[in-house]
Amino acid sequence: MADAKQTANLDATISALQGDITSIPAEQVIAVIDSWQQQLEGNDIAEDLGELKQALNSGDKASISRILADLGEDTKGAAADATGDVATKVKKLGDLLLKAGNAIK
């Protein structure tokens, strides 16, 4: 999993989620989701990202919250398959996705 592009994407995604996610422009969020979907093609997380994109486009906050929480759990699970610094970053990303899902009302 740990090529340079994915590591950079991990860092950028973590950074974005550490701030106010509601302030991120929708186009930027969709671009990040598209990038991750391409990298994770064939993975359940990629399917969840597709659902998140649909929920974002429809403005369905309840679905967005639920999907972010699901993504957080799945991402934390994926951390078990990673090693070293990548594993730490993937777990942190999972924690931030869970937090974001729980913060959306």
Side-chain angles (χ1 to χ4, degrees), residues 64-104:
I64 293 168
S65 175
R66 177 187 53 78
I67 295 166
L68 283 171
D70 288 347
L71 278 166
E73 290 294 339
D74 291 346
T75 302
K76 286 174 61 172
D81 296 331
T83 58
D85 191 41
V86 171
T88 302
K89 289 179 181 189
V90 172
K91 182 183 180 312
K92 183 173 187 169
L93 178 58
D95 289 338
L96 289 167
L97 287 164
L98 270 170
K99 182 179 174 184
N102 291 328
I104 293 177

mmCIF file of all heavy atoms in Angstrom, residues 64-104:
data_model
loop_
_atom_site.group_PDB
_atom_site.id
_atom_site.type_symbol
_atom_site.label_atom_id
_atom_site.label_comp_id
_atom_site.label_asym_id
_atom_site.label_seq_id
_atom_site.Cartn_x
_atom_site.Cartn_y
_atom_site.Cartn_z
ATOM 1 N N ILE A 64 -24.109 10.665 5.300
ATOM 2 C CA ILE A 64 -22.706 11.079 5.348
ATOM 3 C C ILE A 64 -22.092 10.668 6.681
ATOM 4 O O ILE A 64 -21.009 10.085 6.727
ATOM 5 C CB ILE A 64 -22.570 12.604 5.131
ATOM 6 C CG1 ILE A 64 -22.985 12.974 3.709
ATOM 7 C CG2 ILE A 64 -21.139 13.072 5.425
ATOM 8 C CD1 ILE A 64 -23.172 14.463 3.478
ATOM 9 N N SER A 65 -22.793 10.942 7.757
ATOM 10 C CA SER A 65 -22.310 10.586 9.089
ATOM 11 C C SER A 65 -22.087 9.086 9.215
ATOM 12 O O SER A 65 -21.030 8.633 9.668
ATOM 13 C CB SER A 65 -23.315 11.072 10.140
ATOM 14 O OG SER A 65 -22.933 10.637 11.416
ATOM 15 N N ARG A 66 -23.076 8.307 8.785
ATOM 16 C CA ARG A 66 -22.995 6.848 8.885
ATOM 17 C C ARG A 66 -21.850 6.303 8.036
ATOM 18 O O ARG A 66 -21.060 5.459 8.483
ATOM 19 C CB ARG A 66 -24.320 6.219 8.454
ATOM 20 C CG ARG A 66 -24.312 4.700 8.459
ATOM 21 C CD ARG A 66 -25.582 4.107 7.855
ATOM 22 N NE ARG A 66 -25.909 4.607 6.530
ATOM 23 C CZ ARG A 66 -25.321 4.217 5.395
ATOM 24 N NH1 ARG A 66 -24.341 3.337 5.429
ATOM 25 N NH2 ARG A 66 -25.703 4.708 4.232
ATOM 26 N N ILE A 67 -21.733 6.800 6.813
ATOM 27 C CA ILE A 67 -20.702 6.294 5.904
ATOM 28 C C ILE A 67 -19.307 6.663 6.411
ATOM 29 O O ILE A 67 -18.382 5.841 6.357
ATOM 30 C CB ILE A 67 -20.939 6.809 4.474
ATOM 31 C CG1 ILE A 67 -22.252 6.230 3.921
ATOM 32 C CG2 ILE A 67 -19.771 6.442 3.567
ATOM 33 C CD1 ILE A 67 -22.760 6.921 2.664
ATOM 34 N N LEU A 68 -19.137 7.879 6.907
ATOM 35 C CA LEU A 68 -17.835 8.268 7.471
ATOM 36 C C LEU A 68 -17.452 7.358 8.634
ATOM 37 O O LEU A 68 -16.296 6.938 8.752
ATOM 38 C CB LEU A 68 -17.847 9.730 7.919
ATOM 39 C CG LEU A 68 -17.735 10.780 6.823
ATOM 40 C CD1 LEU A 68 -17.979 12.174 7.397
ATOM 41 C CD2 LEU A 68 -16.380 10.711 6.143
ATOM 42 N N ALA A 69 -18.420 7.053 9.497
ATOM 43 C CA ALA A 69 -18.145 6.161 10.626
ATOM 44 C C ALA A 69 -17.769 4.761 10.123
ATOM 45 O O ALA A 69 -16.818 4.145 10.620
ATOM 46 C CB ALA A 69 -19.339 6.107 11.570
ATOM 47 N N ASP A 70 -18.511 4.267 9.123
ATOM 48 C CA ASP A 70 -18.181 2.956 8.538
ATOM 49 C C ASP A 70 -16.784 2.971 7.920
ATOM 50 O O ASP A 70 -16.014 2.022 8.088
ATOM 51 C CB ASP A 70 -19.203 2.570 7.468
ATOM 52 C CG ASP A 70 -20.564 2.189 8.031
ATOM 53 O OD1 ASP A 70 -20.676 1.981 9.265
ATOM 54 O OD2 ASP A 70 -21.523 2.105 7.237
ATOM 55 N N LEU A 71 -16.485 4.046 7.194
ATOM 56 C CA LEU A 71 -15.157 4.176 6.595
ATOM 57 C C LEU A 71 -14.071 4.195 7.675
ATOM 58 O O LEU A 71 -12.995 3.619 7.488
ATOM 59 C CB LEU A 71 -15.061 5.449 5.755
ATOM 60 C CG LEU A 71 -15.616 5.366 4.343
ATOM 61 C CD1 LEU A 71 -15.765 6.762 3.752
ATOM 62 C CD2 LEU A 71 -14.713 4.512 3.470
ATOM 63 N N GLY A 72 -14.367 4.858 8.778
ATOM 64 C CA GLY A 72 -13.411 4.900 9.880
ATOM 65 C C GLY A 72 -13.108 3.511 10.411
ATOM 66 O O GLY A 72 -11.939 3.144 10.608
ATOM 67 N N GLU A 73 -14.157 2.735 10.626
ATOM 68 C CA GLU A 73 -13.970 1.366 11.130
ATOM 69 C C GLU A 73 -13.207 0.514 10.123
ATOM 70 O O GLU A 73 -12.276 -0.205 10.483
ATOM 71 C CB GLU A 73 -15.327 0.722 11.444
ATOM 72 C CG GLU A 73 -16.031 1.305 12.655
ATOM 73 C CD GLU A 73 -15.296 1.039 13.963
ATOM 74 O OE1 GLU A 73 -14.478 0.101 14.060
ATOM 75 O OE2 GLU A 73 -15.551 1.797 14.917
ATOM 76 N N ASP A 74 -13.605 0.603 8.844
ATOM 77 C CA ASP A 74 -12.932 -0.182 7.807
ATOM 78 C C ASP A 74 -11.469 0.225 7.655
ATOM 79 O O ASP A 74 -10.593 -0.617 7.452
ATOM 80 C CB ASP A 74 -13.653 -0.029 6.462
ATOM 81 C CG ASP A 74 -15.030 -0.687 6.452
ATOM 82 O OD1 ASP A 74 -15.331 -1.471 7.369
ATOM 83 O OD2 ASP A 74 -15.803 -0.394 5.517
ATOM 84 N N THR A 75 -11.206 1.518 7.745
ATOM 85 C CA THR A 75 -9.848 2.029 7.604
ATOM 86 C C THR A 75 -8.983 1.576 8.771
ATOM 87 O O THR A 75 -7.825 1.167 8.584
ATOM 88 C CB THR A 75 -9.860 3.564 7.476
ATOM 89 O OG1 THR A 75 -10.657 3.922 6.345
ATOM 90 C CG2 THR A 75 -8.464 4.127 7.307
ATOM 91 N N LYS A 76 -9.531 1.621 9.970
ATOM 92 C CA LYS A 76 -8.774 1.135 11.124
ATOM 93 C C LYS A 76 -8.468 -0.347 10.967
ATOM 94 O O LYS A 76 -7.382 -0.806 11.322
ATOM 95 C CB LYS A 76 -9.549 1.407 12.412
ATOM 96 C CG LYS A 76 -9.517 2.865 12.816
ATOM 97 C CD LYS A 76 -10.385 3.172 14.000
ATOM 98 C CE LYS A 76 -9.981 2.426 15.232
ATOM 99 N NZ LYS A 76 -10.702 2.864 16.440
ATOM 100 N N GLY A 77 -9.407 -1.095 10.405
ATOM 101 C CA GLY A 77 -9.169 -2.512 10.144
ATOM 102 C C GLY A 77 -8.058 -2.720 9.130
ATOM 103 O O GLY A 77 -7.246 -3.636 9.255
ATOM 104 N N ALA A 78 -8.010 -1.842 8.120
ATOM 105 C CA ALA A 78 -6.964 -1.932 7.099
ATOM 106 C C ALA A 78 -5.588 -1.637 7.681
ATOM 107 O O ALA A 78 -4.575 -2.099 7.145
ATOM 108 C CB ALA A 78 -7.271 -0.973 5.947
ATOM 109 N N ALA A 79 -5.548 -0.890 8.759
ATOM 110 C CA ALA A 79 -4.265 -0.566 9.387
ATOM 111 C C ALA A 79 -3.549 -1.831 9.853
ATOM 112 O O ALA A 79 -2.314 -1.876 9.882
ATOM 113 C CB ALA A 79 -4.462 0.398 10.556
ATOM 114 N N ALA A 80 -4.316 -2.858 10.172
ATOM 115 C CA ALA A 80 -3.717 -4.115 10.626
ATOM 116 C C ALA A 80 -2.905 -4.782 9.520
ATOM 117 O O ALA A 80 -1.983 -5.549 9.802
ATOM 118 C CB ALA A 80 -4.802 -5.059 11.126
ATOM 119 N N ASP A 81 -3.248 -4.484 8.255
ATOM 120 C CA ASP A 81 -2.528 -5.071 7.128
ATOM 121 C C ASP A 81 -1.336 -4.237 6.686
ATOM 122 O O ASP A 81 -0.578 -4.649 5.821
ATOM 123 C CB ASP A 81 -3.477 -5.242 5.933
ATOM 124 C CG ASP A 81 -4.593 -6.227 6.226
ATOM 125 O OD1 ASP A 81 -4.381 -7.152 7.041
ATOM 126 O OD2 ASP A 81 -5.682 -6.065 5.658
ATOM 127 N N ALA A 82 -1.208 -3.041 7.252
ATOM 128 C CA ALA A 82 -0.102 -2.150 6.889
ATOM 129 C C ALA A 82 1.040 -2.335 7.897
ATOM 130 O O ALA A 82 0.883 -2.987 8.919
ATOM 131 C CB ALA A 82 -0.585 -0.706 6.884
ATOM 132 N N THR A 83 2.178 -1.716 7.574
ATOM 133 C CA THR A 83 3.322 -1.831 8.467
ATOM 134 C C THR A 83 3.922 -0.460 8.750
ATOM 135 O O THR A 83 3.726 0.492 7.989
ATOM 136 C CB THR A 83 4.421 -2.716 7.848
ATOM 137 O OG1 THR A 83 4.818 -2.162 6.593
ATOM 138 C CG2 THR A 83 3.943 -4.144 7.650
ATOM 139 N N GLY A 84 4.636 -0.371 9.841
ATOM 140 C CA GLY A 84 5.415 0.814 10.190
ATOM 141 C C GLY A 84 4.616 2.093 10.252
ATOM 142 O O GLY A 84 3.508 2.133 10.777
ATOM 143 N N ASP A 85 5.195 3.146 9.679
ATOM 144 C CA ASP A 85 4.605 4.481 9.706
ATOM 145 C C ASP A 85 3.273 4.519 8.970
ATOM 146 O O ASP A 85 2.357 5.231 9.370
ATOM 147 C CB ASP A 85 5.586 5.484 9.089
ATOM 148 C CG ASP A 85 5.166 6.923 9.308
ATOM 149 O OD1 ASP A 85 4.707 7.253 10.431
ATOM 150 O OD2 ASP A 85 5.288 7.722 8.360
ATOM 151 N N VAL A 86 3.151 3.720 7.912
ATOM 152 C CA VAL A 86 1.900 3.686 7.155
ATOM 153 C C VAL A 86 0.777 3.151 8.040
ATOM 154 O O VAL A 86 -0.333 3.686 8.035
ATOM 155 C CB VAL A 86 2.050 2.856 5.863
ATOM 156 C CG1 VAL A 86 0.708 2.637 5.190
ATOM 157 C CG2 VAL A 86 3.017 3.543 4.917
ATOM 158 N N ALA A 87 1.051 2.116 8.799
ATOM 159 C CA ALA A 87 0.034 1.552 9.694
ATOM 160 C C ALA A 87 -0.443 2.601 10.687
ATOM 161 O O ALA A 87 -1.641 2.728 10.941
ATOM 162 C CB ALA A 87 0.594 0.336 10.431
ATOM 163 N N THR A 88 0.491 3.364 11.228
ATOM 164 C CA THR A 88 0.143 4.421 12.177
ATOM 165 C C THR A 88 -0.734 5.474 11.516
ATOM 166 O O THR A 88 -1.743 5.918 12.081
ATOM 167 C CB THR A 88 1.430 5.079 12.734
ATOM 168 O OG1 THR A 88 2.222 4.064 13.353
ATOM 169 C CG2 THR A 88 1.112 6.159 13.745
ATOM 170 N N LYS A 89 -0.366 5.864 10.295
ATOM 171 C CA LYS A 89 -1.148 6.880 9.572
ATOM 172 C C LYS A 89 -2.531 6.367 9.188
ATOM 173 O O LYS A 89 -3.520 7.098 9.285
ATOM 174 C CB LYS A 89 -0.390 7.342 8.320
ATOM 175 C CG LYS A 89 0.823 8.175 8.650
ATOM 176 C CD LYS A 89 1.559 8.598 7.400
ATOM 177 C CE LYS A 89 2.790 9.405 7.770
ATOM 178 N NZ LYS A 89 3.424 10.012 6.608
ATOM 179 N N VAL A 90 -2.619 5.119 8.763
ATOM 180 C CA VAL A 90 -3.910 4.546 8.385
ATOM 181 C C VAL A 90 -4.821 4.454 9.604
ATOM 182 O O VAL A 90 -6.017 4.765 9.528
ATOM 183 C CB VAL A 90 -3.726 3.174 7.689
ATOM 184 C CG1 VAL A 90 -5.058 2.483 7.467
ATOM 185 C CG2 VAL A 90 -2.994 3.343 6.365
ATOM 186 N N LYS A 91 -4.272 4.055 10.745
ATOM 187 C CA LYS A 91 -5.077 4.005 11.971
ATOM 188 C C LYS A 91 -5.549 5.408 12.351
ATOM 189 O O LYS A 91 -6.712 5.600 12.717
ATOM 190 C CB LYS A 91 -4.291 3.383 13.122
ATOM 191 C CG LYS A 91 -5.148 3.281 14.385
ATOM 192 C CD LYS A 91 -4.381 2.734 15.553
ATOM 193 C CE LYS A 91 -5.210 2.622 16.801
ATOM 194 N NZ LYS A 91 -5.990 3.796 17.155
ATOM 195 N N LYS A 92 -4.655 6.392 12.259
ATOM 196 C CA LYS A 92 -5.030 7.769 12.579
ATOM 197 C C LYS A 92 -6.128 8.251 11.641
ATOM 198 O O LYS A 92 -7.082 8.900 12.075
ATOM 199 C CB LYS A 92 -3.810 8.687 12.493
ATOM 200 C CG LYS A 92 -4.106 10.113 12.892
ATOM 201 C CD LYS A 92 -2.832 10.939 12.947
ATOM 202 C CE LYS A 92 -3.136 12.312 13.527
ATOM 203 N NZ LYS A 92 -1.915 13.040 13.848
ATOM 204 N N LEU A 93 -6.004 7.927 10.359
ATOM 205 C CA LEU A 93 -7.036 8.300 9.390
ATOM 206 C C LEU A 93 -8.370 7.669 9.780
ATOM 207 O O LEU A 93 -9.406 8.324 9.746
ATOM 208 C CB LEU A 93 -6.617 7.864 7.982
ATOM 209 C CG LEU A 93 -7.618 8.132 6.867
ATOM 210 C CD1 LEU A 93 -7.954 9.608 6.769
ATOM 211 C CD2 LEU A 93 -7.075 7.612 5.546
ATOM 212 N N GLY A 94 -8.350 6.410 10.172
ATOM 213 C CA GLY A 94 -9.575 5.737 10.615
ATOM 214 C C GLY A 94 -10.198 6.435 11.815
ATOM 215 O O GLY A 94 -11.409 6.645 11.860
ATOM 216 N N ASP A 95 -9.368 6.802 12.776
ATOM 217 C CA ASP A 95 -9.865 7.512 13.960
ATOM 218 C C ASP A 95 -10.500 8.851 13.574
ATOM 219 O O ASP A 95 -11.551 9.226 14.091
ATOM 220 C CB ASP A 95 -8.730 7.757 14.957
ATOM 221 C CG ASP A 95 -8.257 6.492 15.652
ATOM 222 O OD1 ASP A 95 -9.022 5.499 15.716
ATOM 223 O OD2 ASP A 95 -7.103 6.485 16.138
ATOM 224 N N LEU A 96 -9.846 9.569 12.649
ATOM 225 C CA LEU A 96 -10.376 10.871 12.227
ATOM 226 C C LEU A 96 -11.678 10.728 11.439
ATOM 227 O O LEU A 96 -12.585 11.554 11.576
ATOM 228 C CB LEU A 96 -9.327 11.620 11.402
ATOM 229 C CG LEU A 96 -8.128 12.132 12.193
ATOM 230 C CD1 LEU A 96 -7.015 12.580 11.245
ATOM 231 C CD2 LEU A 96 -8.538 13.272 13.116
ATOM 232 N N LEU A 97 -11.781 9.679 10.629
ATOM 233 C CA LEU A 97 -13.029 9.445 9.897
ATOM 234 C C LEU A 97 -14.173 9.137 10.863
ATOM 235 O O LEU A 97 -15.291 9.634 10.694
ATOM 236 C CB LEU A 97 -12.850 8.302 8.892
ATOM 237 C CG LEU A 97 -12.014 8.626 7.657
ATOM 238 C CD1 LEU A 97 -11.592 7.344 6.946
ATOM 239 C CD2 LEU A 97 -12.780 9.546 6.726
ATOM 240 N N LEU A 98 -13.886 8.331 11.869
ATOM 241 C CA LEU A 98 -14.894 8.043 12.903
ATOM 242 C C LEU A 98 -15.327 9.314 13.612
ATOM 243 O O LEU A 98 -16.529 9.559 13.809
ATOM 244 C CB LEU A 98 -14.329 7.071 13.939
ATOM 245 C CG LEU A 98 -14.512 5.583 13.678
ATOM 246 C CD1 LEU A 98 -13.690 4.775 14.646
ATOM 247 C CD2 LEU A 98 -15.969 5.223 13.766
ATOM 248 N N LYS A 99 -14.353 10.113 13.992
ATOM 249 C CA LYS A 99 -14.640 11.378 14.680
ATOM 250 C C LYS A 99 -15.485 12.286 13.788
ATOM 251 O O LYS A 99 -16.453 12.884 14.253
ATOM 252 C CB LYS A 99 -13.329 12.064 15.062
ATOM 253 C CG LYS A 99 -13.514 13.357 15.823
ATOM 254 C CD LYS A 99 -12.157 13.964 16.181
ATOM 255 C CE LYS A 99 -12.332 15.324 16.818
ATOM 256 N NZ LYS A 99 -11.059 15.963 17.091
ATOM 257 N N ALA A 100 -15.135 12.375 12.514
ATOM 258 C CA ALA A 100 -15.882 13.217 11.584
ATOM 259 C C ALA A 100 -17.317 12.715 11.429
ATOM 260 O O ALA A 100 -18.261 13.502 11.416
ATOM 261 C CB ALA A 100 -15.184 13.241 10.223
ATOM 262 N N GLY A 101 -17.467 11.397 11.337
ATOM 263 C CA GLY A 101 -18.801 10.833 11.230
ATOM 264 C C GLY A 101 -19.657 11.133 12.436
ATOM 265 O O GLY A 101 -20.842 11.467 12.308
ATOM 266 N N ASN A 102 -19.061 11.077 13.606
ATOM 267 C CA ASN A 102 -19.802 11.352 14.837
ATOM 268 C C ASN A 102 -20.077 12.841 15.030
ATOM 269 O O ASN A 102 -20.999 13.203 15.771
ATOM 270 C CB ASN A 102 -19.044 10.805 16.047
ATOM 271 C CG ASN A 102 -19.030 9.296 16.050
ATOM 272 O OD1 ASN A 102 -19.953 8.638 15.599
ATOM 273 N ND2 ASN A 102 -17.954 8.710 16.551
ATOM 274 N N ALA A 103 -19.295 13.700 14.383
ATOM 275 C CA ALA A 103 -19.452 15.144 14.553
ATOM 276 C C ALA A 103 -20.544 15.724 13.648
ATOM 277 O O ALA A 103 -21.041 16.821 13.928
ATOM 278 C CB ALA A 103 -18.135 15.842 14.256
ATOM 279 N N ILE A 104 -20.901 15.031 12.586
ATOM 280 C CA ILE A 104 -21.890 15.572 11.656
ATOM 281 C C ILE A 104 -23.280 15.341 12.215
ATOM 282 O O ILE A 104 -23.649 14.229 12.576
ATOM 283 C CB ILE A 104 -21.736 14.914 10.264
ATOM 284 C CG1 ILE A 104 -20.402 15.346 9.673
ATOM 285 C CG2 ILE A 104 -22.895 15.292 9.350
ATOM 286 C CD1 ILE A 104 -20.083 14.729 8.350
#
